[in-house]
Amino acid sequence: DGVRLGALVRWRDILDDKRLATAHPLLREAVSHVAHYQIRNRGTVGGSLAHADPASEMPGIAQTCDAEISVMGVAGVRVIKAKDFLQGALTTALTADEIITEVHLPAWPAQRRWGFQEFARRRGDFAMAGVALHYDEAGGKAGNARIGVFGVGDRAHRLAKAEAALNGKIVDEALCVAVGEAASAEVDPQEDIHASAAYRRALTGTMAERALRAAAARAEA
């Protein structure tokens, strides 16, 4: 019924589990971009989600893949959808007496195509913009599209308009460009010492275009 990750699963555990190459390849690819080797040996799934850094890969995957997050507190156990769990920069739906216990990612169909791209000033830095996407292919057309972004707002989130631009279409070069433009137009990034809002907006479009092109190439292979 999908992939279940305990809160203390480390990034290294995910990369070392060969079952995930088919059970959830997008997750493995995203984790390979997390920080540096030493941090991947210690950092955990639950820690990343609870910290909720807007530029982190795991919140982006959770949003893109409709993850469900199980938490436990004095009042008992509850399950929170990723879209409701992330509430802002470093802010989640966790109450003061709750901890994350598990993350559930829905089953990954064999016909699913995916792509992941992020850009940082240096390898291992937080992403200035990142895109995770997947779609299910049927009759040569994309369906059930999910496009998530991170590093370009106060939290990771999905791009509904870019998803609509992808759904029901044959994925070719023109569509890759169109989806990239839709992604760029849909985000409202922050400006800081690392990049202007305009640069992050353009970068999001480029990352979306490259991710979709990679997904299409993967489908042809």
Side-chain angles (χ1 to χ4, degrees):
D1 66 341
V3 174
R4 295 183 182 274
L5 304 168
L8 293 183
V9 167
R10 301 170 303 158
W11 306 129
R12 175 53 50 190
D13 299 327
I14 291 171
L15 293 174
D16 287 345
D17 194 325
K18 294 181 172 56
R19 296 173 298 174
L20 291 173
T22 52
H24 213 295
L26 179 55
L27 171 66
R28 285 191 87 203
E29 178 64 21
V31 168
S32 73
H33 288 77
V34 173
H36 302 284
Y37 184 85
Q38 296 91 332
I39 292 173
R40 291 195 293 271
N41 281 340
R42 298 295 298 274
T44 63
V45 170
S48 177
L49 287 172
H51 186 52
D53 192 293
S56 293
E57 291 84 358
M58 191 63 205
I61 291 298
Q63 286 279 32
T64 305
C65 299
D66 300 318
E68 293 182 336
I69 300 161
S70 298
V71 306
M72 180 181 291
V74 173
V77 177
R78 61 188 181 122
V79 179
I80 310 170
K81 294 186 180 298
K83 64 182 180 65
D84 301 319
F85 182 82
L86 299 170
Q87 298 184 343
L90 310 180
T91 306
T92 72
L94 284 171
T95 61
D97 63 359
E98 286 181 323
I99 60 171
I100 296 172
T101 59
E102 183 181 81
V103 180
H104 175 240
L105 298 169
W108 187 269
Q111 74 276 16
R112 180 160 289 172
R113 312 305 176 195
W114 59 275
F116 182 91
Q117 292 284 323
E118 72 170 55
F119 182 83
R121 295 184 67 178
R122 296 172 300 181
R123 175 73 178 181
D125 283 2
F126 279 118
M128 295 167 66
V131 174
L133 63 80
H134 66 73
Y135 63 88
D136 297 334
E137 192 174 57
K141 297 181 179 180
N144 193 32
R146 298 287 190 275
I147 302 176
V149 294
F150 55 97
V152 291
D154 67 348
R155 75 198 83 174
H157 61 282
R158 280 175 46 190
L159 303 181
K161 293 179 180 178
E163 291 173 354
L166 175 55
N167 276 324
K169 309 283 189 6
I170 295 174
V171 182
D172 56 16
E173 182 60 25
L175 183 64
C176 291
V177 173
V179 169
E181 291 173 347
S184 180
E186 192 169 350
V187 295
D188 184 21
Q190 72 276 16
E191 186 163 326
D192 56 28
I193 61 173
H194 301 294
S196 67
Y199 182 75
R200 277 198 167 93
R201 190 175 297 112
L203 192 57
T204 301
T206 300
M207 295 297 99
E209 182 179 336
R210 290 180 181 177
L212 185 54
R213 193 177 290 122
R218 195 167 281 115
E220 292 172 3

